[in-house]
């Protein structure tokens, strides 16, 4: 990884791995430039790519229908018209080929931003990501890097069924050499995507598609609310960077810590309100590197922890978080760590809301945790 590629004597003593961030080595944001305007997540992501393509001629964007058409969700809309056919173009229906081409481009000094149309389609590219992109810096002794960004919409809540709703983030957090980023709002989406494009190592950038057009709190019977009313939808038109490896405390609280990312940040806020619990909600934003310092400080303050994610429970990233919290905060815990997740089944179409970890399930877990885990 670009920040640190080997263990040092200090690592052996402090127990902090190179892919973890503590208060002592936390990165900082850069000052925003330009006017501030309301944006939804699609517009913010488009602005990030457009800004970097305008700034750096080595940045390019491609994927299935991601050129002329602008992507199935329009994240790359108008980029081809503005930057030309050689820098924003359509790719064949071959996820493996898309990523393989990007790796070659990156080795020669370009910074490709590729779109995998849905995270459910990323599996054919898995070998290239894991065996080539993640290993290139190591296997070349630092002579080559893979500065590629792999964007992909992920998650449920849109009745996409089993092949358009998956959350495969844990398959990538397990791979040394990759960085995994998941924004939950337009402001972070632009700043984090900019950071990913500028990073010299491969990043997997999952975009919660249920949040593209507005924050979703999981109460699916209610009308959809737009982003424009949210503070985190006020996005600078110019360049700024939100650091990889830095969590955001969305809401401070004293009773229990909730760890979440993507759509589950908003569901967690709704669940805490529904339960009447003073929860501290942490948006991890980056799964690798992980802001372990923010997590540890919060759990030691509240004494309780609930982890919320869309992916199935077994071997989900919540299991890693649970182990880390237990290892670092054991003597501060007043109740067992709880996980609220998707079920260990394919993502159903007809029973979307029975599968989706909604605010009621979060509220139930919070109440149980407050009563000692019973």
């Amino acid at each position: 990884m670009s920040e640190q590629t080997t263990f040092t004597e200090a690592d052996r003593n402090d127990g902090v791995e190179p892919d973890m961030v503590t208060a002592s080595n936390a990165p900082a944001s850069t000052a925003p430039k330009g006017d501030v305007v309301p944006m939804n997540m699609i517009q913010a992501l488009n602005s990030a790519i457009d800004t970097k393509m305008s700034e750096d001629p080595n940045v390019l964007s491609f994927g299935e229908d991601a050129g002329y058409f602008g992507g199935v969700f329009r994240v790359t809309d108008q980029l081809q018209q503005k930057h030309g056919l050689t820098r924003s173009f359509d790719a064949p229906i071959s996820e493996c080929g898309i990523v393989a081409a990007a790796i070659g481009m990156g080795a020669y000094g370009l910074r490709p931003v590729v779109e995998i149309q849905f995270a459910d389609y990323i599996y054919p590219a898995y070998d290239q990501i894991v065996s080539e992109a993640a290993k290139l810096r190591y296997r070349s002794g630092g002579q080559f890097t893979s500065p590629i960004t792999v964007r992909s919409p992920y998650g449920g809540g849109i009745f996409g069924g089993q092949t358009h709703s998956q959350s495969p983030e844990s398959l990538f957090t397990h791979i040394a050499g990759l960085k995994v980023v998941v924004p939950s709002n337009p402001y972070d989406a632009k700043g984090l995507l900019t950071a990913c494009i500028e990073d010299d190592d491969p990043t997997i950038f999952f975009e919660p598609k249920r949040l593209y057009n507005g924050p979703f709190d999981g109460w699916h019977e209610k009308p959809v609310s737009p982003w424009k009313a949210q503070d985190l939808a006020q996005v600078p038109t110019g360049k700024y960077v939100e650091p990889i490896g830095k969590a955001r405390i969305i809401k401070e609280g004293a009773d229990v810590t909730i760890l979440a990312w993507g759509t589950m940040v908003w569901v967690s806020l709704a669940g805490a309100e529904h339960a009447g619990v003073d929860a501290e909600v942490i948006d991890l934003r980056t799964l690798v590197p992980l802001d372990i310092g923010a997590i540890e400080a919060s759990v030691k303050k509240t004494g309780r922890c609930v982890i919320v994610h869309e992916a199935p429970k077994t071997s989900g990233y919540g299991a890693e978080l649970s182990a880390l919290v237990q290892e670092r905060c054991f003597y501060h815990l007043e109740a067992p760590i709880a996980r609220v997740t998707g079920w260990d089944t394919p993502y159903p179409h007809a029973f979307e809301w029975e599968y989706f970890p909604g605010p009621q399930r979060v509220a139930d877990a919070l109440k149980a945790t407050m009563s000692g885990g019973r």
Side-chain angles (χ1 to χ4, degrees):
M1 296 184 177
S2 57
E3 289 86 353
Q4 181 179 344
T5 57
T6 60
F7 284 101
T8 66
E9 192 61 36
D11 293 322
R12 296 185 179 93
N13 294 332
D14 68 12
V16 178
E17 299 181 11
D19 58 358
M20 293 182 182
V21 178
T22 64
S24 62
N25 67 348
S29 305
T30 63
K33 298 178 181 179
D35 297 329
V36 176
V37 299
M39 294 187 190
N40 61 30
M41 193 175 286
I42 294 171
Q43 294 166 328
L45 292 166
N46 179 275
S47 179
I49 303 171
D50 182 27
T51 300
K52 284 303 301 177
M53 291 180 74
S54 299
E55 176 188 86
D56 184 353
N58 289 319
V59 176
L60 64 154
S61 169
F62 64 97
E64 297 166 14
D65 295 323
Y68 177 81
F69 190 62
V72 67
F73 292 104
R74 299 298 191 271
V75 171
T76 55
D77 188 38
Q78 296 298 308
L79 294 183
Q80 184 179 99
Q81 289 82 344
K82 182 173 183 180
H83 299 285
L85 283 166
T86 61
R87 297 186 62 205
S88 176
F89 53 90
D90 296 313
I93 303 175
S94 172
E95 289 78 14
C96 176
I98 290 169
V99 174
I103 294 169
M105 292 175 179
Y108 275 88
L110 299 177
R111 291 186 178 273
V113 183
V114 300
E115 176 177 300
I116 303 298
Q117 200 167 81
F118 287 88
D120 314 65
Y121 303 161
I122 204 168
Y123 306 118
Y126 194 68
D127 178 53
Q128 287 293 319
I129 295 171
V130 173
S131 301
E132 306 298 336
K135 308 292 192 296
L136 187 57
R137 177 191 285 273
Y138 178 82
R139 73 191 298 180
S140 69
Q143 295 181 75
F144 292 95
T145 60
S146 188
I148 70 172
T149 302
V150 181
R151 297 179 35 251
S152 193
Y154 93 108
I158 66 163
F159 283 98
Q162 71 274 13
T163 58
H164 296 80
S165 305
Q166 296 175 65
S167 300
E169 62 269 26
S170 66
L171 298 178
F172 298 94
T173 59
H174 184 68
I175 305 302
L178 297 178
K179 296 176 181 177
V180 182
V181 179
V182 188
S184 72
N185 58 78
Y187 185 89
D188 287 346
K190 180 175 179 178
L192 287 168
L193 183 54
T194 301
C196 290
I197 296 171
E198 294 183 345
D199 200 287
D200 288 334
D201 288 310
T203 56
I204 309 299
F205 192 90
F206 283 124
E207 302 164 8
K209 54 184 175 286
R210 190 58 177 84
L211 299 184
Y212 272 150
N213 290 299
F216 179 61
D217 61 9
W219 296 117
H220 58 91
E221 307 93 343
K222 295 181 179 179
V224 175
S225 59
W227 273 117
K228 62 183 179 181
Q230 299 289 331
D231 290 340
L232 288 170
Q234 310 307 309
V235 180
T237 56
K239 177 186 172 181
Y240 65 96
V241 174
E242 281 298 298
I244 296 173
K246 181 68 174 176
R248 179 189 291 277
I249 298 177
I250 293 289
K251 175 187 173 297
E252 294 186 350
D255 291 343
V256 57
T257 298
I258 301 179
L259 306 179
W261 54 95
T263 304
M264 292 298 105
V265 171
W266 300 92
V267 173
S268 296
L269 288 168
E273 181 181 13
H274 186 59
V277 172
D278 184 21
E280 181 151 290
V281 179
I282 298 182
D283 178 0
L284 296 184
R285 303 201 301 179
T286 302
L287 305 185
V288 177
L290 178 67
D291 190 351
I292 192 65
I295 295 171
E296 188 173 350
S298 179
V299 175
K300 286 182 176 178
K301 178 181 74 172
T302 65
R304 299 174 177 87
C305 182
V306 173
I307 301 162
V308 188
H309 64 68
E310 284 189 66
K313 187 174 188 177
T314 300
S315 299
Y317 192 62
E320 175 70 13
L321 293 173
S322 180
L324 288 169
V325 170
Q326 191 273 342
E327 290 168 2
R328 293 168 176 271
C329 307
F330 179 77
Y331 292 106
H332 294 80
L333 290 172
E334 299 182 28
I337 301 163
R339 287 181 287 164
V340 182
T341 70
W343 305 114
D344 289 344
T345 71
Y347 205 112
H349 183 272
F351 297 102
E352 171 106 35
W353 303 120
E354 284 74 15
Y355 182 97
F356 189 87
Q360 184 61 60
R361 286 174 58 194
V362 174
D364 292 343
L366 290 171
K367 291 175 181 178
T369 300
M370 293 303 298
S371 63
R374 295 181 294 276

